[in-house]
Amino acid sequence: MDDTNNSDSDNIRCGEEDKARNFTSPSPKGGVFTAAAPTQQAPLPPQPSSRGSSATRPRRPTRSTRSPLPRTGPSPAPPLLANPRPATSPSPLRATPPPTPAASPSPTPTPPPPRAPRRRFLPPRPPPPLRTVFGCIFSSYDSSAAAAATHGLLGMNRGALSFVTQSATRRFSYCISDRDDSGVLLLGGDAGSALFAPRLNYTPLIEISLPLPYFDRVAYSVQLEGIRVGAALLPIPKSVLAPDHTGAGQTMVDSGTQFTFLLGDAYDALKVEFLRQTRALLTPLNEPDFVFQGAFDLCFRIPAAAAGAGAGAPLPSLLPEVGVRRGGDGVWCATFGNSDLVPMSAYVIGHHHQQNLWVEYDLDNRRVGFAPVRCDLAAQRLTEALSL
């Protein structure tokens, strides 16, 4: 017989022998444990086995010294006592353990963050070779004294074969000196502009997606707002300075063109104002048939002595000598040409009027910036920075 049957028989026998009287049992501390006569009550539901844990299974006094049989069935239910004490009142036989809180599902542990891979310091890889298409120049003309040192042209417009397009350059800048052949050309980034020209004045690039017969879409075009001679603003209508419905009249920034070209109406206004302001200083050439390079007819006679003296020192910045002499005088012409004489249907800001200017082309933001800079000093500072 297992313990379950033994417990039931003990409960029944206890009820028969001790009916109408109290059941007493010695207390561990010398007192008496009194229990009232058992009353009829529903049996408790079976509970999980807790063999070996005296804290969750109450024990009753042992009536016999029979050795327990091997347990082969399910775990027995705890014995029934008549009028058990409330759970809040401690038993004189054994202290009632506190109720075990219901087990709550443990939260899912958060996995530790992945460890960052260890950096391996490797030498930088060299950039891949740049495949570039180059062309050949069979003939060229340059009136400057340094023409012998010129070996070619670097195309920097937005055409398919330009160096900017083939190298995917989105920003570049340059600075052209008026004193010697020194200069600066930087490709990419704005570090050079911040170093040499921190305050650039930007103007937006003009783009027309519609193909027009006289609009060059690969050139860097800006909107010309006006022209001044000294402090005098020329009376030129805005419509003359803007492209028309055919695209004629755009203003291009082109370092590959030596001088600046203006359309006929703007050129005539500049010529009149320039002659008025220099009447007491310069002697006009007065040769209607003389046109330098087919576009420069605003020319003057400058005595050799005056050109070499201190008073004539600023002349080369405005009136470069064209290599023609009239007696003992040299012929100097203004650096503005008439586009109608070329012919060319656009304004061009050329190489000469970009000297001592830091010019930056920002293609991502569609703008070009200008700032006055001594380009010979900028080239010197760049050389010193690269040598550190």
Side-chain angles (χ1 to χ4, degrees), residues 272-313:
V272 171
E273 182 63 26
F274 192 85
L275 289 172
R276 186 188 68 82
Q277 294 189 23
T278 60
R279 184 180 299 116
L281 301 175
L282 300 174
T283 303
L285 182 60
N286 291 326
E287 294 183 11
D289 296 334
F290 182 85
V291 180
F292 177 63
Q293 293 186 1
F296 302 89
D297 61 353
L298 183 55
C299 300
F300 304 89
R301 298 168 62 108
I302 305 296

Side-chain angles (χ1 to χ4, degrees), residues 13 20 66 121 188 260 295 344 365 386:
R13 186 168 53 252
R66 294 176 298 177
F121 295 94
T260 296
M344 181 171 53
N365 295 313
L386 294 176

Side-chain angles (χ1 to χ4, degrees), residues 105-125:
S106 59
T108 304
T110 304
R115 297 180 60 184
R118 298 181 62 184
R119 289 187 176 182
R120 300 178 61 188
F121 295 94
L122 300 177
R125 295 182 179 180

Side-chain angles (χ1 to χ4, degrees), residues 58-268:
R59 300 176 62 184
R60 60 184 177 85
T62 303
R63 286 181 175 272
S64 64
T65 58
R66 294 176 298 177
S67 59
L69 297 177
R71 188 176 300 277
T72 58
S75 300
L80 300 178
L81 295 179
N83 297 332
R85 293 178 181 272
T88 57
S89 177
S91 171
L93 292 178
R94 194 174 191 88
T96 304
T100 304
S104 60
S106 59
T108 304
T110 304
R115 297 180 60 184
R118 298 181 62 184
R119 289 187 176 182
R120 300 178 61 188
F121 295 94
L122 300 177
R125 295 182 179 180
L130 177 62
R131 299 182 180 275
T132 308
V133 178
F134 288 90
C136 297
I137 297 178
F138 295 99
S139 63
S140 63
Y141 173 78
D142 192 344
S143 61
S144 64
T150 302
H151 300 288
L153 295 175
L154 182 63
M156 301 294 287
N157 63 12
R158 291 183 284 188
L161 295 179
S162 73
F163 182 79
V164 171
T165 302
Q166 295 189 64
S167 61
T169 301
R170 304 303 300 168
R171 178 178 292 189
F172 65 94
S173 55
Y174 57 76
C175 196
I176 303 171
S177 174
D178 66 334
R179 299 175 180 269
D180 49 29
D181 292 335
S182 63
V184 177
L185 172 63
L186 294 180
L187 302 177
D190 57 353
S193 299
L195 178 62
F196 302 113
R199 296 182 180 180
L200 288 169
N201 295 318
Y202 288 97
T203 186
L205 292 171
I206 304 301
E207 298 179 355
I208 298 179
S209 58
L210 182 65
L212 299 177
Y214 297 106
F215 190 89
D216 189 354
R217 291 189 294 171
V218 302
Y220 299 107
S221 299
V222 296
Q223 179 58 55
L224 186 60
E225 297 292 338
I227 301 175
R228 293 181 182 271
V229 178
L233 179 64
L234 301 181
I236 303 174
K238 294 289 185 180
S239 59
V240 176
L241 302 177
D244 60 13
H245 65 283
T246 66
Q250 73 178 118
T251 301
M252 299 183 291
V253 182
D254 184 12
S255 62
T257 302
Q258 185 177 6
F259 298 118
T260 296
F261 289 85
L262 305 177
L263 290 177
D265 293 341
Y267 180 80
D268 292 340

Side-chain angles (χ1 to χ4, degrees), residues 318-359:
L318 295 176
L319 305 169
E321 189 174 9
V322 298
V324 179
R325 305 190 66 83
R326 294 293 186 264
D329 300 337
V331 176
W332 296 68
C333 297
T335 55
F336 290 87
N338 190 344
S339 296
D340 294 349
L341 299 178
V342 176
M344 181 171 53
S345 58
Y347 298 91
V348 180
I349 302 175
H351 171 102
H352 185 77
H353 290 99
Q354 295 184 43
Q355 292 178 351
N356 285 334
L357 283 177
W358 189 274
V359 184

